[in-house]
Amino acid sequence: MSRGSGHDQFAVFDEIRDEFFDDAMERLRALEFVLDNGSHGRITRSELIGSFRRLALYLRGQAAGFGLNALCTIAHKLDEYLADAPETLPPRIWIDLETYIDELSKQVGSRGTEIQPDFSRLPQKLASTLDEIEIRRIEVMLVAPHGAQSHFVERELRQCGYRTSVVPDTVLALSMVVQTKPDLIIISAVMPGLDGIDFAIGLSAMPSTRNIAVAVITSLDRDADVLTLLPKKVPVIFKGSNFADDLFKALDSLFMI
C-alpha cells in the first residue's frame, strides 16, 4: 500500500465519521419534537418509545464502529431505560428523556472528543412494579443473554434496591465496565464469544477493573472443573432451588448488603 493511499483511507474515515455526527445531531433535534409531541399527547406511547429506542440502537451501533465508547454506553442505557416501560408512563419520563437527549447531544456535539459523563446520574429504567422500593446508589451490571432467566435475576436484584443494567454481550460489557465502573458485575458463566468464566478471570486480573466486585451465575454442577479456574474472591451463584440463598451469600461476601 502506498503512502498516499493510506492517507486517503484516513480521509475517507474522517469524512464518514463527520457525516455520522451531522446525521446524529439532526436525529437528536428531531427527537426533541417527538418529545414535545409526546408530552402534549399528540403521539401515542408506542410512537414515542419506538422513536427513542430506534435512535438509541442506531447511535449504539454507529458509536461502537467509531470507537465512541461513552456515546455507545449512553445509547445502551437509553434503550434499557425504555425496554420495560409501563403502559401508563410516569410524569418523570419527560424530564428523563430530555436528560438523555442532552447527554447524547453533548457526546455527538464533541465530534469525537469524548466527554466523560457521570453515568450514575443517568435516569434508571422504568419499572412500575418497583415504585415503592428505595433504590440505592449501588450499580450492578448483569452480563447475561436476554431471556427469562436474566429478567428473573434482574428482578431479584432490583427487589434488593440495586440499580441494574443488563448487557447481553461480554465484549460490549468490557467497554461499558471501563466506562461506568459499576459496583458489582454478575456474569453468566456461559456466554457467546468471550466466555463468562474467562471474562470474570480477566476482570479480576486487570488493574483497571480488579477492584470491582465480580460474581458468576451458572447452571453448571457445583463441582464442575471449569469453576475451579475462578479466583477465590469470585463467588458463584447457582441457578435452582438454592438461588436466593446463593445470591444472598454472594452479595454478603462482596459487602453489597
Side-chain angles (χ1 to χ4, degrees):
M1 180 185 295
S2 69
R3 198 169 181 178
S5 62
H7 177 75
D8 290 343
Q9 285 188 348
F10 285 120
V12 170
F13 176 85
D14 289 341
E15 182 180 348
I16 294 173
R17 192 173 68 159
D18 285 343
E19 290 175 356
F20 160 68
F21 288 134
D22 292 339
D23 181 54
M25 189 58 75
E26 286 185 13
R27 294 186 187 217
L28 284 165
R29 287 170 179 161
L31 211 58
E32 292 177 351
F33 290 101
V34 173
L35 183 62
D36 182 65
N37 286 332
S39 65
H40 289 88
R42 292 191 287 264
I43 59 175
T44 66
R45 168 192 176 279
S46 296
E47 290 172 326
L48 173 76
I49 292 176
S51 295
F52 272 84
R53 293 194 73 186
R54 281 193 295 273
L55 180 71
L57 292 173
Y58 163 75
L59 291 177
R60 189 175 73 185
Q62 293 294 318
F66 289 117
L68 304 170
N69 296 323
L71 177 59
C72 182
T73 300
I74 296 171
H76 176 85
K77 285 186 171 291
L78 170 59
D79 185 50
E80 261 204 326
Y81 171 82
L82 292 168
D84 298 314
E87 284 301 317
T88 301
L89 298 175
R92 73 179 177 92
I93 192 173
W94 313 115
I95 295 176
D96 288 354
L97 290 178
E98 186 175 4
T99 298
Y100 273 107
I101 290 177
D102 289 344
E103 290 298 326
L104 291 168
S105 297
K106 288 178 186 176
Q107 296 297 328
V108 172
S110 71
R111 305 187 76 84
T113 303
E114 288 194 315
I115 303 169
Q116 185 62 30
D118 182 356
F119 291 103
S120 67
R121 298 183 66 84
L122 288 176
Q124 294 299 296
K125 64 172 60 180
L126 298 171
S128 58
T129 59
L130 299 172
D131 288 340
E132 297 181 1
I133 294 176
E134 181 182 353
I135 303 299
R136 295 185 282 172
R137 294 185 70 84
I138 296 179
E139 300 279 346
V140 180
M141 178 184 291
L142 176 62
V143 183
H146 284 307
Q149 189 64 53
S150 62
H151 282 297
F152 171 74
V153 176
E154 185 187 19
R155 186 174 68 247
E156 291 295 308
L157 292 168
R158 288 179 65 81
Q159 290 286 356
C160 295
Y162 299 122
R163 296 157 62 102
T164 61
S165 177
V166 180
V167 185
D169 177 85
T170 45
V171 176
L172 174 60
L174 177 58
S175 171
M176 290 184 63
V177 166
V178 174
Q179 286 284 319
T180 63
K181 293 293 194 300
D183 299 291
L184 169 64
I185 307 165
I186 299 179
I187 307 166
S188 176
V190 179
M191 291 289 293
L194 177 61
D195 185 72
I197 299 291
D198 292 339
F199 186 42
I201 294 170
L203 290 176
S204 299
M206 291 189 298
S208 61
T209 57
R210 64 188 177 195
N211 291 326
I212 299 176
V214 174
V216 166
I217 184 168
T218 184
S219 57
L220 296 171
D221 293 335
R222 291 180 180 267
D223 58 354
D225 289 341
V226 69
L227 297 179
T228 64
L229 301 174
L230 290 168
K232 291 183 179 180
K233 68 177 182 178
V234 177
V236 180
I237 305 165
F238 293 92
K239 299 175 185 177
S241 58
N242 294 321
F243 168 78
D245 290 338
D246 283 346
L247 177 61
F248 178 84
K249 290 177 182 176
L251 295 174
D252 187 41
S253 70
L254 296 169
F255 304 102
M256 292 292 129
I257 295 179

